[in-house]
């Protein structure tokens, strides 16, 4: 078998056509393409990409922090909820700097341990972003497959719904919907406990982000399926009498791996930012959930007196999102032969 | 003749679909907020409130009517206006009436009319910054494609795009103290105060969005400069500068303008972070305040205005693009 993809690359010296791609004419990572599936080729390319490997390690580091948050807090000997009022002076300023007992110091005013809140804060970010990514990908792929493959009135209805969701101002809805959901599930907000409100807000955030997230992927998949379904192997499967479900998931889906993987890798950092941003605005997660967005919101009024309080969550979220975005770019380059830099 | 009919038919179809989206949004958001078992009368009345007072408020707002009738009333208010009576005083709310704010006691339309110029000023000023910076950087990078300068530009756009927007805006707001204080002053009162109060917000929007526009215009210019007409122009002896900025840029900018139209629509509904961090009383901040105070009519008004702006802007972009580029219609 000839390494067709590498040849196609060498032949392609003309202008790039993808508007988002930004080829700088860098040398392409050479990998052995013989007897390998496109996914294996892409993964081999990714392993040779230094930036991708570093970014993936950073991502893994944060996942480990989130998983072992209780262990790390125990190692430090603190927990995220104890109020160390003895370490706070009467103006609310912490009296201790970061030390062996409180690795990142304590929160002004309440005196909770910052390291413990920081490691626990990795959890909601990753859980919300992860579950929203899973839900939107599943829904987007299934809707896109059905709309593109079935055509006719099913396609028309699904396409209208896709257009509808895409034409809603999602940030405004992200503010408005949790208010309504809170009223439905908790009833009187003033009577309900903090814990209850916090857990409803947690699910409300996932629901809202999922509701608005699936449509763009569905549109992308639908477009891909529209071209794929005219290909010979689909016609062959139909002639052989393969059931529709099998055609969709065994014949079409494997051909959609690249756009799906690319979309997932782009979605994850976006949702981490959205979660932190909405939480920062006060419409996402609420106390007592430890969250970086909440810490940033609380720390902004202490930025002069206690810069570390602000900068630790800011650094964490910036590094995590930066790593994931650059990883996403590398993944796109590895999986999509047309947009390689 | 046939061609024109096709264009008209396409536009008509898009307009109808846009109207259907707005109507569904209207009904869906109404159902969402008003079917939820909330207690707006209690919110207006405050903690020390008698049941009679609550009942009075409910009847004045029409909250004691069946839900379906409430929707009909709300719709009628948008088309023809409606009356509210509170404590014997009848207030008329002119069409398009979106109800009264529970907590501010003003018509929602008036609040939105006051907030809209703020949001528009922020978004348009920011757009000027990122279009100028982005297109210039992209055009320059396209000409030196593959050099270290090009790689530096592309690399920095990647990094800038990856920084969370609200973090970037917050750090600017906290640490860039050399910028004039943020705040909104109407343009007609004092254009200078207007500009200096918005400068920090403009620069923040400008820098972050310039990254993606650099990448768009760079890719687009590379393609445009590879076309035959550029070669023809060069071979006619026209100076390089003229070829790039007259011939290349004109062709290269068309896709960028389309993306800009769609972006602008989203920013008009989504300047929430900018408004909240720089404390500018636009639509986003109005909605946020309504969320915190449980002010449902304002919340709904904000969502509706956002949807209408988005739908109309998308429609305009689509139609303009169809008229400019006949190939689009085939899709």
């Amino acid at each position: 078998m000839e390494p067709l993809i590498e040849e196609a690359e060498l032949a392609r010296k003309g202008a790039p056509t993808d508007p988002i791609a930004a080829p700088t004419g860098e040398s392409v990572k050479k990998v052995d393409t013989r007897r390998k599936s496109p996914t294996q080729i892409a993964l081999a390319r990714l392993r040779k990409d230094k930036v991708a490997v570093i970014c993936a390690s950073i991502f893994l580091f944060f996942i480990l922090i989130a998983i072992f948050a209780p262990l790390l807090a125990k190692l430090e000997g603190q927990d995220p909820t104890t109020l160390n009022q003895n370490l706070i002076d009467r103006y609310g300023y912490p009296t201790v700097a970061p030390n062996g007992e409180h690795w990142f110091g304590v929160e002004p005013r309440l005196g909770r341990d910052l390291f413990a809140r920081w490691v626990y804060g990795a959890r909601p970010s990753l859980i919300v972003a992860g579950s929203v990514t899973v839900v939107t990908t599943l829904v987007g792929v299934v809707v896109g497959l059905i709309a593109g493959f079935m055509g006719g009135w099913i396609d028309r209805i699904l396409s209208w719904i896709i257009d509808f969701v895409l034409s809603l101002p999602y940030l405004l809805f992200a503010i408005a919907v949790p208010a309504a959901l809170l009223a439905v599930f908790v009833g009187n907000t003033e009577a309900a406990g903090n814990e209850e409100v916090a857990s409803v807000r947690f699910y409300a955030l996932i629901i809202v982000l999922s509701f608005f997230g699936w449509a763009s992927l569905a549109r992308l998949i639908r477009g891909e399926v529209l071209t794929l379904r005219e290909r010979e192997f689909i016609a062959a499967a139909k002639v052989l009498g393969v059931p529709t479900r099998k055609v969709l998931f065994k014949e079409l889906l494997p051909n959609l791996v690249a756009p799906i993987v690319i979309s997932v890798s782009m979605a994850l950092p976006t949702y981490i930012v959205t979660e932190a941003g909405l939480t920062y605005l006060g419409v996402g997660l609420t106390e007592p959930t430890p969250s970086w967005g909440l810490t940033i919101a609380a720390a902004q009024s202490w930025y002069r007196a206690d810069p570390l309080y602000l900068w630790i969550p800011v650094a964490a979220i910036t590094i995590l999102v930066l790593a994931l975005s650059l990883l996403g770019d590398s993944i796109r380059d590895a999986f999509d032969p047309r947009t390689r830099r | 003749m046939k061609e024109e009919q096709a264009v008209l038919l396409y536009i008509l179809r898009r307009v109808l679909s846009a109207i259907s989206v707005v109507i569904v949004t209207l009904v869906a958001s109404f159902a969402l907020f008003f079917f939820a078992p909330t207690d707006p009368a209690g919110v207006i009345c405050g903690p020390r409130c008698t049941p009679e007072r609550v009942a009075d408020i409910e009847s004045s707002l029409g909250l004691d009517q069946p839900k379906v009738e409430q929707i009909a009333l709300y719709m009628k208010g948008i088309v023809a206006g409606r009356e509210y009576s509170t404590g014997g005083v009848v207030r008329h709310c002119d069409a398009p009436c979106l109800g009264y704010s529970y907590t501010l006691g003003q018509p929602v339309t008036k609040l939105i009319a006051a907030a809209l110029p703020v949001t528009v000023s922020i978004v348009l000023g920011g757009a000027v910054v990122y279009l100028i910076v982005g297109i210039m950087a992209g055009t320059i990078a396209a000409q030196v494609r593959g050099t270290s300068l090009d790689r530096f530009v592309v690399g920095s756009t990647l990094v800038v795009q990856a920084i969370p927007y609200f973090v970037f805006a917050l750090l600017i707001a906290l640490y860039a103290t050399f910028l004039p204080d943020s705040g909104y002053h109407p343009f007609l009162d004092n254009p200078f105060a207007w500009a200096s109060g918005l400068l920090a917000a403009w620069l923040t929007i400008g820098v972050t969005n310039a990254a993606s526009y650099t990448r768009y215009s760079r890719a687009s210019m590379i393609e445009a400069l590879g076309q035959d007409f550029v070669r023809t122009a060069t071979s006619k002896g026209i100076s390089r500068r003229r070829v790039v900025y007259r011939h290349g840029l004109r062709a290269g900018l068309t896709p960028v303008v389309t993306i800009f139209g769609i972006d602008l629509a989203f920013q008009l509904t989504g300047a929430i972070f900018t408004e909240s961090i720089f404390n500018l009383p636009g639509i986003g901040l109005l909605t946020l305040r309504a969320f915190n105070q449980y002010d449902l009519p304002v919340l709904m008004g904000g969502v509706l205005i956002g949807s209408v702006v988005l739908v109309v802007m998308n429609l305009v972009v689509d139609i303009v693009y169809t008229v400019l580029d006949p190939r689009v219609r085939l899709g």
Side-chain angles (χ1 to χ4, degrees):
Chain A
M1 193 198 273
E2 289 298 316
L4 286 174
I5 295 176
E6 297 294 321
E7 274 176 11
E9 261 157 28
L10 294 176
R12 202 181 153 283
K13 285 197 176 116
T17 46
D18 194 299
I20 305 164
T24 44
E26 231 167 277
S27 62
V28 171
K29 306 270 182 309
K30 278 269 157 76
V31 292
D32 182 20
T33 53
R34 281 157 211 273
R35 291 177 190 283
K36 278 181 180 168
S37 75
T39 309
Q40 284 170 326
I41 297 172
L43 288 177
R45 268 195 203 110
L46 219 48
R47 271 197 296 275
K48 283 201 170 182
D49 189 342
K50 278 200 198 79
V51 176
V53 171
I54 294 171
C55 291
S57 329
I58 294 175
F59 180 43
L60 197 67
F61 171 71
F62 278 101
I63 291 180
L64 290 177
I65 285 184
I67 293 175
F68 295 111
L71 207 68
L72 287 167
K74 203 173 269 175
L75 204 64
E76 191 207 16
Q78 306 293 340
D79 66 79
T81 45
T82 308
L83 309 176
N84 299 303
Q85 287 293 341
N86 53 328
L87 301 176
I88 300 296
D89 68 14
R90 62 197 169 102
Y91 304 106
Y93 292 96
T95 53
V96 290
N99 56 34
E101 227 168 280
H102 297 281
W103 293 354
F104 288 171
V106 294
E107 219 176 16
R109 221 163 48 77
L110 291 175
R112 292 180 295 195
D113 182 70
L114 281 178
F115 178 77
R117 287 193 75 71
W118 184 76
V119 290
Y120 273 95
R123 290 184 153 187
S125 273
L126 292 171
I127 294 174
V128 169
S131 27
V132 173
T133 305
V134 170
V135 173
T136 52
T137 304
L138 284 180
V139 176
V141 168
V142 170
V143 172
L145 272 179
I146 294 174
F149 190 72
M150 295 297 180
W153 61 271
I154 296 179
D155 180 32
R156 240 171 282 154
I157 292 175
L158 289 177
S159 294
W160 187 89
I161 296 175
I162 292 172
D163 285 343
F164 172 66
V165 171
L166 284 178
S167 64
L168 293 175
Y170 95 91
L171 266 177
L172 290 175
F173 268 92
I175 294 177
V177 173
L181 286 179
L182 210 59
V184 173
F185 290 111
V186 183
N188 192 346
T189 18
E190 270 142 47
N194 271 348
E195 294 277 351
E196 202 182 345
V197 172
S199 85
V200 171
R201 290 283 280 272
F202 184 79
Y203 293 112
L205 193 60
I206 294 179
I207 292 172
V208 170
L209 294 182
S210 304
F211 182 79
F212 288 99
W214 61 272
S216 54
L217 180 61
R219 179 182 270 183
L220 182 79
I221 295 291
R222 177 182 169 271
E224 296 275 329
V225 172
L226 281 182
T227 54
L228 280 177
R229 108 182 148 180
E230 308 301 329
R231 298 267 290 272
E232 289 84 353
F233 69 96
I234 298 296
K238 277 188 191 162
V239 169
L240 285 172
V242 179
T244 309
R245 184 149 38 101
K246 262 200 164 161
V247 175
L248 283 178
F249 292 102
K250 294 269 165 173
E251 304 286 337
L252 277 173
L253 200 56
N255 286 289
L256 296 168
V257 169
I260 295 171
V261 169
I262 293 167
S263 136
V264 166
S265 69
M266 299 284 171
L268 206 55
T270 314
Y271 290 129
I272 291 178
V273 173
T274 316
E275 181 275 320
L278 290 175
T279 304
Y280 166 79
L281 285 181
V283 296
L285 306 175
T286 52
E287 292 280 358
T289 317
S291 152
W292 293 337
L294 279 175
T295 312
I296 294 174
Q300 59 178 341
S301 44
W302 296 87
Y303 79 100
R304 261 184 221 285
D306 195 354
L308 204 61
Y309 183 26
L310 175 69
W311 276 95
I312 286 171
V314 162
I317 193 153
T318 309
I319 291 171
L320 175 58
V321 169
L322 190 66
L324 278 176
S325 305
L326 295 180
L327 181 62
D329 275 342
S330 296
I331 289 177
R332 191 189 57 203
D333 294 347
F335 273 86
D336 192 343
R338 280 172 308 151
T339 63
R340 199 166 304 117
R341 274 180 293 145
Chain B
M1 197 60 204
K2 257 234 148 75
E3 187 66 7
E4 277 166 21
Q5 273 176 348
V7 175
L8 278 180
L9 207 67
Y10 173 81
I11 291 177
L12 193 71
R13 228 178 44 218
R14 287 290 291 114
V15 170
L16 282 180
S17 129
I19 293 173
S20 72
V21 166
V22 170
I23 291 177
V24 173
T25 311
L26 191 73
V27 174
S29 49
F30 195 94
L32 188 64
F33 296 126
F34 283 68
F35 278 78
T38 54
D39 179 24
V43 174
I44 306 165
C45 203
R48 281 190 291 166
C49 189
T50 58
E52 294 86 51
R53 180 92 183 93
V54 171
D56 188 41
I57 292 171
E58 282 190 343
S59 76
S60 78
L61 293 173
L63 294 173
D64 50 351
Q65 314 269 335
K67 301 283 186 189
V68 182
E69 261 176 55
Q70 283 188 40
I71 296 188
L73 259 178
Y74 191 85
M75 297 287 189
K76 182 183 160 257
I78 292 174
V79 182
R82 63 192 279 200
E83 318 253 298
Y84 287 92
S85 62
T86 23
V89 186
V90 177
R91 285 185 294 184
H92 186 73
C93 176
D94 293 324
C97 175
L98 296 172
Y100 270 85
S101 161
Y102 289 163
T103 51
L104 298 174
Q106 283 183 322
V108 174
T109 33
K110 203 174 150 193
L111 294 170
I112 287 175
L116 207 54
V118 183
T119 304
V120 171
S121 304
I122 297 170
V123 169
L124 288 186
V128 170
V129 176
Y130 65 70
L131 282 182
I132 292 175
V133 174
I135 290 174
M136 266 176 50
T139 311
I140 292 169
Q143 289 178 71
V144 296
R145 183 184 177 198
T147 63
S148 49
L149 176 65
D150 180 33
R151 260 178 233 154
F152 171 74
V153 170
V154 172
S156 42
T157 61
L158 286 176
V159 173
V160 169
Q161 272 185 318
I163 298 174
Y165 178 73
F166 80 98
V167 169
F168 185 77
L170 182 66
L171 295 182
I172 295 273
L174 293 181
Y175 290 100
T177 40
F178 53 86
L179 293 173
D181 285 343
S182 284
Y184 183 74
H185 312 277
F187 178 74
L188 292 177
D189 289 5
N190 183 350
F192 183 73
W194 173 78
S196 80
L198 291 169
L199 188 64
W202 288 344
L203 288 180
T204 310
I205 295 183
V207 169
T208 43
N209 286 292
S212 49
Y213 280 86
T214 304
R215 289 175 83 179
Y216 293 143
S217 44
R218 178 178 169 281
S220 182
M221 277 303 282
I222 287 174
E223 191 175 356
L225 292 178
Q227 305 265 332
D228 290 344
F229 68 86
V230 168
R231 204 181 50 195
T232 311
T234 313
S235 65
K236 280 200 302 189
I238 299 171
S239 72
R240 181 71 189 159
R241 177 188 294 247
R242 204 181 153 84
V243 169
V244 171
Y245 291 99
R246 276 292 178 82
H247 299 250
L249 203 56
R250 191 171 288 176
L253 276 190
T254 324
V256 178
V257 168
T258 322
I259 297 169
F260 173 63
I262 297 163
D263 267 6
L264 198 64
F266 262 101
Q267 284 164 354
L268 281 174
T269 69
I272 296 173
F273 290 107
T274 318
E275 288 169 14
S276 153
I277 288 168
F278 292 103
N279 198 20
L280 300 165
I283 297 285
L285 208 58
L286 185 73
T287 321
L288 208 55
R289 191 202 56 80
F291 169 81
N292 288 323
Q293 302 183 345
Y294 235 79
D295 198 345
L296 290 183
V298 176
L299 207 51
M300 255 192 80
V303 168
L304 278 185
I305 283 296
S307 311
V308 171
V309 167
L310 206 55
V311 168
V312 170
M313 287 288 292
N314 280 336
L315 188 65
V316 170
V317 171
D318 267 12
I319 290 176
V320 168
Y321 206 52
T322 319
V323 174
L324 287 182
D325 189 348
R327 282 171 301 180
V328 178
R329 251 167 282 139
L330 299 172

